[in-house]
């Protein structure tokens, strides 16, 4: 066994960072056996040095993260501070001073992944980030290594535990959105400011990373269409149940049928109860992958939390240390395909549209005419009326987002249409 330990610098010691440090200490012998050399926590960069951190030698704690990554004797930097800066500068500085990097920073990777990969390659170092998407679920490595010889066509997943808990609660109890969000907050699943989760920002960053790896194409956060879930109502769930569906906030990355382009999007969608993702409950995550040779694969497990995320970080740490010990690097960025990233207007899917209309003869004919004029084919129609008012639910065959938008705009101009109660995509067929 190698005599000199592999030295690790930890940037951040919050929920995830402290768990990484604990596992490194309690599992030190096992980690050394798996790597072929011991690993040593050589420094911990924090913002509040006076806080008591159980199990961490106070002499290792510093507020000077830059000096830590510049030391030159650090083999691996583990970055779990999050955000764009100073994480970006610290990571590139680590590469320049001889360290490989393990990161859980989905926002930074979605925004600047290409630049970070380039910096790693220039310096002959590793950049691993399994923990950036879906917590403990092995997903990044299967996509970029296990499926490297296959052609991935679609990645469809629940990648945010907070939103899945809320929607599952609405589905199972009939609760409204705010009531379910309040419960998620009380249980610690939702942050005091839940915007990043419920508005889809968190899932969009993960979708960008997944699409880039799956399709060997650079996909940035700005390329991902994003729609939050605050407008989902109990009535939407009732409609979904009538169709044999439920509602999930999905990250969807797809290759076009001609193979020339890809799309990445995050939005609420109805999925059939027969689809494997429909049974994912509570705060769990699951990702469904469709490829040419392997067929359909599903990855399922806890998508957040200190221990699950730390598990993914430690898995990367072992892999990077093994590479370091062998004088090699693992797979870097693969963007050779350079496919076009199409806008949301070109995405084709089914739609569920609920309209408030006047309860009188001829309304259905008017609505059907509008759909026909915009080239949107209707699959089913359900109408209920009472006391001069009615609700009309239309489910379309597959149509582009652009054509559906034109249809809805025209419907709003009909004097018999009082309003568009909801529009939701139908996925997972």
């Amino acid at each position: 066994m190698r005599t000199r330990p592999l030295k690790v610098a930890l940037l951040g010691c919050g929920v995830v960072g402290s768990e990484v440090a604990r596992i490194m200490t309690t599992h030190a012998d096992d980690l050394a056996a798996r790597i072929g050399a011991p690993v040593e926590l050589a420094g911990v960069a924090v913002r509040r040095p006076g806080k008591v951190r159980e199990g961490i030698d106070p002499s290792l704690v510093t507020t000077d993260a830059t000096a830590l990554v510049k030391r030159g004797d650090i083999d691996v930097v583990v970055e779990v501070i999050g955000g764009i800066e100073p994480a970006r500068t610290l990571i590139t500085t680590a590469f320049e001073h001889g360290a490989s990097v393990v990161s859980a920073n989905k926002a930074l990777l979605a925004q600047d992944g290409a630049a970070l990969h380039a910096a790693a390659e220039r310096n002959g170092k590793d950049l691993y980030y399994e923990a950036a998407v879906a917590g403990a679920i092995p997903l990044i490595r299967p996509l970029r290594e296990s499926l490297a010889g296959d052609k991935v066509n679609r990645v469809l997943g629940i990648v945010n535990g907070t939103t899945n808990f809320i929607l599952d609660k609405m589905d199972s109890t009939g609760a409204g959105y705010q009531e379910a969000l309040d419960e998620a907050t009380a249980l610690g699943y939702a942050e005091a400011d839940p915007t990043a989760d419920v508005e889809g920002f968190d899932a969009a960053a993960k979708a960008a990373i997944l699409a880039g790896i799956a399709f060997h194409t650079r996909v940035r956060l700005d390329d991902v269409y994003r729609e939050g879930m605050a407008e989902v109502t109990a009535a939407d769930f009732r409609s979904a149940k009538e169709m044999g569906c439920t509602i999930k906030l999905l990250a969807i990355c797809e290759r076009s049928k001609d193979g020339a382009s890809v799309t990445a999007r995050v939005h609420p969608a109805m999925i059939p109860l027969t689809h494997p993702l429909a049974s994912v409950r509570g705060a769990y995550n699951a990702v469904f992958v469709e490829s040419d040779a392997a067929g359909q694969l599903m990855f399922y497990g806890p998508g957040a939390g200190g221990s699950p995320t730390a598990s993914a970080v430690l898995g990367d740490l072992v892999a990077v240390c093994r590479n370091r010990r062998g004088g090699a690097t693992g797979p870097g960025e693969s963007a050779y395909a350079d496919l076009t990233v199409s806008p949301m207007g070109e995405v084709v899917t089914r739609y569920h549209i609920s309209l408030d209309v006047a309860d009188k003869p001829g309304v259905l004919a008017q609505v059907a005419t509008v759909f026909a004029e915009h080239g949107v084919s209707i699959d089913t129609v359900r109408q209920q009326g009472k006391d001069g008012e009615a609700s009309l639910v239309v489910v379309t065959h597959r149509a582009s987002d652009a054509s559906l938008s034109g249809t809805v705009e025209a419907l709003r101009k009909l004097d018999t249409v009082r309003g568009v109660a909801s529009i939701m995509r139908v996925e997972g067929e």
Side-chain angles (χ1 to χ4, degrees):
M1 182 177 288
R2 173 177 172 168
T3 302
R4 185 182 77 81
L6 291 156
K7 294 189 176 182
V8 177
L10 179 61
L11 307 183
C13 198
V15 173
V16 175
S18 59
E19 190 66 7
V20 169
R22 184 192 69 78
I23 295 173
M24 284 184 64
T25 301
T26 57
H27 295 179
D29 291 343
D30 286 335
L31 292 173
R34 293 165 191 172
I35 293 167
V39 288
E40 174 186 302
L41 188 58
V44 182
V46 300
R47 283 183 291 184
R48 296 186 295 275
K51 182 179 177 181
V52 175
R53 294 173 171 86
E54 186 177 348
I56 296 177
D57 184 346
S59 68
L60 299 179
V61 176
T62 178
T63 58
D64 194 344
T66 301
L68 179 59
V69 301
K70 282 184 174 181
R71 274 177 38 172
D73 64 334
I74 299 297
D75 293 287
V76 184
V77 169
V78 174
E79 183 272 309
V80 288
I81 56 178
I84 306 301
E85 287 291 356
R88 174 170 48 197
T89 299
L90 290 170
I91 289 173
T92 54
T93 301
F95 290 141
E96 292 164 359
H97 286 78
S100 289
V101 173
V102 172
S103 176
N105 196 331
K106 55 187 172 290
L108 177 58
L109 288 158
Q111 179 172 305
D112 289 321
L116 295 178
H117 275 293
E121 185 175 358
R122 274 196 311 273
N123 293 280
K125 299 297 177 286
D126 276 324
L127 173 62
Y128 276 49
Y129 43 90
E130 184 68 65
V133 180
I137 304 172
L139 185 59
I140 300 298
R141 194 171 291 114
L143 281 175
R144 74 175 186 176
E145 296 182 32
S146 303
L147 295 175
D150 206 343
K151 179 183 177 184
V152 176
N153 297 308
R154 195 180 199 215
V155 179
L156 175 77
I158 299 164
V159 295
N160 183 279
T162 300
T163 55
N164 198 58
F165 177 88
I166 293 169
L167 292 174
D168 182 41
K169 185 60 63 174
M170 293 176 70
D171 183 27
S172 61
T173 69
Y177 168 77
Q178 189 60 52
E179 182 183 352
L181 173 58
D182 289 344
E183 182 172 349
T185 303
L187 293 172
Y189 291 123
E191 301 286 346
D193 180 0
T195 303
D197 294 325
V198 300
E199 292 300 329
F201 291 102
D202 175 84
K206 295 170 182 176
I209 295 169
L210 292 174
I213 297 170
F215 306 132
H216 304 278
T217 292
R218 286 178 178 169
V219 180
R220 299 180 73 252
L221 181 58
D222 292 344
D223 296 320
V224 181
Y225 172 82
R226 178 194 55 78
E227 185 180 313
M229 50 175 270
E231 300 303 316
V232 177
T233 66
D236 291 327
F237 274 99
R238 289 193 293 272
S239 293
K241 287 181 178 180
E242 290 173 357
M243 290 178 58
C245 292
T246 188
I247 299 172
K248 300 291 186 180
L249 184 75
L250 298 177
I252 306 169
C253 312
E254 291 180 305
R255 188 191 299 268
S256 63
K257 287 188 177 180
D258 63 9
S261 64
V262 298
T263 58
R265 50 198 165 100
V266 169
H267 54 70
M270 293 182 180
I271 59 172
L273 293 175
T274 53
H275 193 281
L277 291 178
S279 61
V280 178
R281 312 301 297 267
Y284 275 71
N285 285 191
V287 178
F288 200 72
V289 177
E290 301 173 10
S291 68
D292 277 0
Q296 298 179 332
L297 306 171
M298 188 163 127
F299 302 85
Y300 169 83
S307 293
T309 306
S311 171
V313 170
L314 267 294
D316 278 351
L317 179 62
V318 168
V320 170
C321 285
R322 285 171 175 168
N323 293 343
R324 187 86 171 186
R325 184 171 179 268
T329 56
E333 182 187 35
S334 176
Y336 74 90
D338 195 25
L339 300 176
T340 299
V341 183
S342 298
M344 185 63 186
E346 298 178 15
V347 170
V348 175
T349 188
R350 295 177 68 204
Y351 290 86
H352 175 282
I353 304 102
S354 179
L355 305 172
D356 295 325
V357 299
D359 186 16
K360 61 182 183 180
V363 173
L364 181 56
Q366 285 185 319
V367 169
T369 297
V370 170
F371 275 88
E373 289 174 346
H374 288 81
V376 179
S377 176
I378 294 175
D379 182 17
T380 62
V381 178
R382 186 174 70 255
Q383 184 174 7
Q384 294 178 324
K386 184 179 180 181
D387 298 330
E389 298 295 331
S391 63
L392 189 65
V393 175
V394 178
V395 179
T396 74
H397 287 291
R398 293 177 68 81
S400 72
D401 189 79
S403 63
L404 196 282
S405 295
T407 302
V408 172
E409 185 177 348
L411 287 171
R412 294 183 193 277
K413 295 178 181 178
L414 294 178
D415 58 7
T416 52
V417 175
R418 310 297 194 214
V420 180
S422 71
I423 304 171
M424 192 166 295
R425 296 168 184 84
V426 183
E427 301 283 351
E429 298 173 273

